[in-house]
Amino acid sequence: MEEESIGARIKRIRKKEKLTQKQVAEAVGVSAGAVTQWELDMTQPRGANLNALAYTLKSSPSEIIEGIKEEGSTYATKQHEIEPLDGFDLWDDDTPLRDDEVKVPIFTDVELSAGVGSCLVMETKGRFIRFSKRTLRDNNVDKSAAACAKVHGTSMEPLIMDGATVGIDTSKKMIKDGRIYAINHAGMMRVKYLYNMPGGGLRIRSFNQAEYPDETLTAEQLTQVEIIGFVFWWSTINKW
């Protein structure tokens, strides 16, 4: 069976919601021609447009881009801010923590590369992102093992943009095929799709496969790879 393209998926969901291209365009704030180009796979929605499209189609960015609709997933918000989990704010050491919240450290000097990789430096500098306890609990995230870090590189675009912040559950290291993980690959930090291979090998896949082809590691080469954790959340930054 031929894999459904992003454009075909947008068209299918749009028709399911009984919307015209013009109605979608007006809701997103683009031209009808832009929607046509998306559906013909001439271009792809990115950044704020992707989030606005997901909201309009009562979908999510991950469903539109990846075709993955997980139970309990949260639709994009009307404010065009991608929030796969509940809202978040930046914190410092002087910000009081509410009873229903938990603070997750941001490793500001860690660059989890979505490109070729960068060396690991763990330092928080007193910055945090706060999540509600219920949000983490409902999404099966171990709050004591959660951490955030910046991503640099274009290999996961347009799903995870260069400069985005990701949330990592470091307690989840077992590889489930087709999920996104943060890994330490021979001293380089990377965010990638992972797939188990026959014989104990591993396939490392980027979303932007046109520029970043798959990498396949043998079981012997896996000694170079440490699974840091499952990427459970990300923000999207659209740089100028």
Side-chain angles (χ1 to χ4, degrees), residues 127-143:
R127 298 185 63 207
F128 301 90
I129 288 180
R130 63 182 183 183
F131 292 93
S132 75
K133 294 178 181 177
R134 179 176 179 180
T135 290
L136 297 182
R137 183 174 62 252
D138 289 350
N139 287 275
N140 196 29
V141 175
D142 182 348
K143 65 178 183 294

Side-chain angles (χ1 to χ4, degrees), residues 83-239:
E83 299 182 6
L85 301 180
D86 284 352
F88 64 93
D89 295 306
L90 289 178
W91 278 58
D92 59 29
D93 289 336
D94 297 325
T95 306
L97 189 68
R98 295 200 296 261
D99 291 340
D100 62 341
E101 293 176 328
V102 62
K103 59 183 181 180
V104 175
I106 304 175
F107 293 117
T108 55
D109 287 350
V110 173
E111 292 187 348
L112 296 176
S113 177
V116 296
S118 59
C119 294
L120 169 63
V121 181
M122 303 289 275
E123 188 173 336
T124 66
K125 293 184 178 178
R127 298 185 63 207
F128 301 90
I129 288 180
R130 63 182 183 183
F131 292 93
S132 75
K133 294 178 181 177
R134 179 176 179 180
T135 290
L136 297 182
R137 183 174 62 252
D138 289 350
N139 287 275
N140 196 29
V141 175
D142 182 348
K143 65 178 183 294
S144 66
C148 294
K150 292 280 188 182
V151 170
H152 295 274
T154 60
S155 75
M156 293 299 286
E157 290 192 352
L159 181 67
I160 303 178
M161 304 292 286
D162 179 25
T165 301
V166 296
I168 307 160
D169 186 344
T170 61
S171 71
K172 294 180 173 61
K173 299 179 185 291
M174 184 181 72
I175 297 173
K176 292 186 177 181
D177 290 346
R179 299 296 187 94
I180 300 174
Y181 293 84
I183 63 174
N184 181 347
H185 186 184
M188 301 293 182
M189 305 297 296
R190 313 177 77 187
V191 170
K192 300 288 184 181
Y193 291 107
L194 298 183
Y195 296 84
N196 293 291
M197 297 293 291
L202 181 71
R203 176 178 294 145
I204 301 174
R205 174 168 292 177
S206 301
F207 187 82
N208 181 6
Q209 295 184 53
E211 297 182 51
Y212 298 87
D214 286 358
E215 304 168 55
T216 302
L217 303 181
T218 65
E220 291 75 20
Q221 291 172 318
L222 282 184
T223 57
Q224 305 173 5
V225 177
E226 174 193 359
I227 308 298
I228 297 171
F230 172 69
V231 175
F232 67 88
W233 168 89
W234 57 86
S235 70
T236 292
I237 304 296
N238 207 16
K239 290 187 175 180

